[in-house]
Amino acid sequence: SAVISQKPSRDICQRGTSLTIQCQVDSQVTMMFWYRQQPGQSLTLIATANQGSEATYESGFVIDKFPISRPNLTFSTLTVSNMSPEDSSIYLCSVEFGQGTDTQYFGPGTRLTVL
Amino acid sequence: EDQVTQSPEALRLQEGESSSLNCSYTVSGLRGLFWYRQDPGKGPEFLFTLYSAGEEKEKERLKATLTKKESFLHITAPKPEDSATYLCAVFEYREGQNFVFGPGTRLSVLP
């Protein structure tokens, strides 16, 4: 299976600032996704990162708050904009290899704390 | 409304004490059901994918089964290293992406 890495692994940020999280895969993938996992809770899908076009956002998430880029088949970024303490979460990227299994494989996550 | 629930919320077992975790779902058309293991501070680790009722998958001490309304993750003779949160997720046939996670079961296996 592929190696999925995220940078940074954790960060502490001030209210009102923005943070960009990177997700890198060591092989080409068809689909990349971004999730949020709030403390003590399960995973919620933020958006699907589409290569060469705008991301597809789930209900409750908007592009102005969570802009996403996917310039190629191995890399994506998620920006958390104008942060507030409610944005403190673990942010996870996942990938699907498009081999007909629909299985998603996850990166290690980025733990974000907003003061 | 589509829903994925898991029970119990938390489970404490003695080493060697077998048990089962439940994942119940209500979706109009199941495309796949997935089990993941998540250790604290880490991303979910893929365990199994099940596609149709009656299907079973095994890996070491874990066995996953699927019916039309629920899935079970059976843990046989667990060891302390099996302690983790176990998440199930369902993927539904509908336009757009619908990959929904359950809340998870926190498993603790005591030596």
Side-chain angles (χ1 to χ4, degrees):
Chain A
S1 60
V3 175
I4 306 166
S5 59
Q6 287 186 232
K7 289 182 181 179
S9 59
R10 59 177 63 224
D11 207 342
I12 301 173
C13 301
Q14 295 296 321
R15 180 196 298 262
T17 63
S18 298
L19 176 72
T20 295
I21 302 168
Q22 299 179 4
C23 179
Q24 179 77 54
V25 193
D26 68 351
S27 60
Q28 293 185 347
V29 297
T30 56
M31 307 286 283
M32 296 183 79
F33 308 92
W34 287 99
Y35 286 81
R36 180 173 74 183
Q37 187 173 28
Q38 294 180 302
Q41 298 192 23
S42 192
L43 283 74
T44 301
L45 180 63
I46 297 172
T48 302
N50 300 309
Q51 196 263 328
S53 64
E54 245 182 42
T56 305
Y57 289 84
E58 296 299 303
S59 176
F61 298 96
V62 295
I63 187 171
D64 290 345
K65 176 67 176 177
F66 297 102
I68 287 171
S69 77
R70 189 179 172 193
N72 56 51
L73 293 176
T74 64
F75 185 78
S76 178
T77 67
L78 168 75
T79 299
V80 186
S81 303
N82 189 24
M83 289 184 284
S84 67
E86 293 71 36
D87 294 319
S88 297
S89 287
I90 298 173
Y91 291 86
L92 295 145
C93 73
S94 72
V95 305
E96 185 191 316
F97 293 97
Q99 296 169 340
T101 68
D102 301 319
T103 300
Q104 294 185 23
Y105 296 89
F106 285 82
T110 295
R111 181 180 294 273
L112 171 62
T113 302
V114 183
L115 303 178
Chain B
E1 179 182 325
D2 298 340
Q3 202 169 22
V4 182
T5 60
Q6 291 186 245
S7 61
E9 182 177 327
L11 180 63
R12 297 181 73 171
L13 299 173
Q14 290 296 133
E15 184 172 1
E17 179 186 1
S18 302
S19 188
S20 296
L21 313 182
N22 175 266
C23 172
S24 296
Y25 60 91
T26 54
V27 297
S28 55
L30 182 71
R31 182 161 159 169
L33 186 140
F34 306 84
W35 281 99
Y36 290 86
R37 168 194 171 125
Q38 187 174 27
D39 293 299
K42 297 187 176 181
E45 174 190 345
F46 170 70
L47 293 173
F48 304 109
T49 307
L50 302 165
Y51 292 104
S52 56
E55 189 175 0
E56 298 182 352
K57 294 273 180 74
E58 285 189 67
K59 179 181 178 181
E60 296 180 354
R61 294 177 293 281
L62 300 177
K63 179 180 176 180
T65 62
L66 181 65
T67 71
K68 288 188 177 180
K69 293 187 177 182
E70 59 190 351
S71 176
F72 291 94
L73 184 66
H74 307 277
I75 303 177
T76 302
K79 298 182 178 181
E81 53 262 42
D82 294 322
S83 298
T85 296
Y86 290 86
L87 300 165
C88 73
V90 298
F91 191 7
E92 182 188 13
Y93 276 108
R94 72 165 173 83
E95 186 176 340
Q97 174 73 18
N98 188 15
F99 200 88
V100 179
F101 276 86
T105 294
R106 285 192 319 277
L107 174 66
S108 300
V109 182
L110 307 176

